[in-house]
Amino acid sequence: MPLSANARIKWLVAGILFAAFWASAATATKIGLAFAQPLVIAEMRFGLAALIMLIIAHLIKGHRLPVGKEWKQIAIYGLLNITIYLGCYVIAMQTVTAGIGSLAIATNPVFISFFSVFFLRKRLTWPIIAALIVCTAGVLTAAWPLFAGAEITTGGLLLLLFSMLCYSLGAIYFSSLKWNDLSLFTINGWQTFLGGLFLLPVTIFYYEGSSNLFNSTFWWSVAWLAIPVSIIAVQLWLWLLQTNAVRAGLWLFLCPLFGYVFAAWWMKDAISTYTVIGVILVIAGLLLSKLKTG
């Protein structure tokens, strides 16, 4: 049937674009870091993404503004998901390679499943425990040879993993709340705006004019992080989840592969045996997290 064929094509294109855009965040961040301080990149990204999403939500689509306790919910979500998660992530990327950054991002679903046991009263299963161990081992394996060449620091890797934990907590917090009829564009736009606002005092305090060169490459990095990553990838992911939540998770397996392709292409990151083993372990961990137990 033509409709079925079109639906399959739409699903395939959306999944591939999501995985590619989502995985490109680490490389785009590393490119921007060559010209600006990490928090400056973050603030510009948040500001641009929030402006576009809020214009779409309120001026184009005419969605309502948050009211009452919804502002508090959005503020807390923005604090976890933007201020802490992405603030720590962009700082960590100063001393972590683009490949490792994208590999760590791919482990988020496993951390979310693990923390949901404590915050959403989900049942802790052996596949989740095994997946957490295997994914962590994968990231450490891929990172191991990079310590010797100072391409990765222990502090940077720990901060990166901490940022993944904060993202997972933010996702659990978001899913535990009732948002009534508030649109996703409204929630995403305002949480991005407020998260960036909370981070602004820290950015101003550490700002050094001589460390920032606002050239075309810097703005390309910011624009890519704001539009394809923060807006398009997130909207594609939400569409995939709404269409088929079980199958949507399978697209996450492509993220480490895309991430290392971009890192090797743009940043000339080396792909070693450790890299291959690390990626395989992370993908295996993601697969384990999908197993059902009786």
Side-chain angles (χ1 to χ4, degrees):
M1 300 254 327
L3 182 60
S4 179
N6 289 336
R8 285 198 297 269
I9 293 172
K10 186 177 180 181
W11 174 266
L12 183 65
V13 171
I16 292 174
L17 285 177
F18 159 73
F21 286 157
W22 195 244
S24 70
T27 296
T29 300
K30 290 294 287 187
I31 291 173
L33 285 171
F35 300 96
Q37 293 175 279
L39 295 183
V40 172
I41 296 172
E43 289 291 0
M44 294 296 184
R45 170 189 180 179
F46 302 153
L48 180 59
L51 178 63
I52 294 173
M53 286 188 284
L54 292 177
I55 288 175
I56 293 174
H58 300 307
L59 297 184
I60 297 177
K61 292 183 174 291
H63 295 312
R64 70 172 179 85
L65 286 166
V67 294
K69 68 176 184 179
E70 291 173 347
W71 284 112
K72 179 182 177 181
Q73 293 177 179
I74 291 174
I76 295 174
Y77 182 45
L79 181 67
L80 290 171
N81 195 51
I82 299 296
T83 310
I84 302 177
Y85 161 53
L86 287 176
C88 290
Y89 174 80
V90 73
I91 293 173
M93 288 304 296
Q94 292 180 109
T95 53
V96 172
T97 65
I100 296 299
S102 62
L103 195 62
I105 289 174
T107 66
N108 275 327
V110 178
F111 284 111
I112 291 172
S113 297
F114 180 74
F115 282 123
S116 66
V117 172
F118 304 99
F119 295 98
L120 299 181
R121 301 184 183 278
K122 301 280 186 177
R123 188 165 62 92
L124 182 62
T125 62
W126 283 110
I128 293 300
I129 296 173
L132 186 64
I133 295 171
V134 172
C135 281
T136 303
V139 174
L140 293 176
T141 299
W144 184 256
L146 302 175
F147 285 108
E151 294 176 77
I152 287 181
T153 65
T154 302
L157 188 59
L158 289 176
L159 187 60
L160 180 66
L161 292 175
F162 173 74
S163 73
M164 298 303 119
L165 297 181
C166 291
Y167 174 85
S168 302
L169 291 174
I172 290 171
Y173 177 77
F174 175 83
S175 64
S176 69
L177 299 172
K178 291 183 178 180
W179 295 97
N180 301 317
D181 61 338
L182 200 61
S183 76
L184 292 173
F185 254 116
T186 300
I187 296 170
N188 200 14
W190 282 111
Q191 66 105 9
T192 301
F193 174 79
L194 292 176
L197 192 63
F198 297 151
L199 190 62
L200 190 57
V202 181
T203 305
I204 294 174
F205 182 80
Y206 287 104
Y207 181 79
E208 296 177 358
S210 60
S211 299
N212 298 282
L213 178 61
F214 300 106
N215 58 11
S216 59
T217 304
F218 165 81
W219 288 112
W220 178 91
S221 171
V222 168
W224 186 271
L225 288 168
I227 301 171
V229 178
S230 290
I231 299 176
I232 299 177
V234 171
Q235 293 303 122
L236 285 171
W237 175 243
L238 294 174
W239 180 82
L240 290 167
L241 285 175
Q242 290 176 342
T243 305
N244 190 317
V246 175
R247 289 175 58 204
L250 299 176
W251 289 111
L252 292 166
F253 302 148
L254 284 181
C255 290
L257 302 179
F258 274 120
Y260 266 101
V261 168
F262 294 142
W265 182 20
W266 285 98
M267 304 305 301
K268 309 303 179 186
D269 281 9
I271 297 180
S272 65
T273 303
Y274 286 93
T275 304
V276 175
I277 294 174
V279 170
I280 291 173
L281 285 173
V282 168
I283 293 175
L286 289 170
L287 284 169
L288 279 172
S289 71
K290 298 294 180 182
L291 291 180
K292 302 293 184 182
T293 58

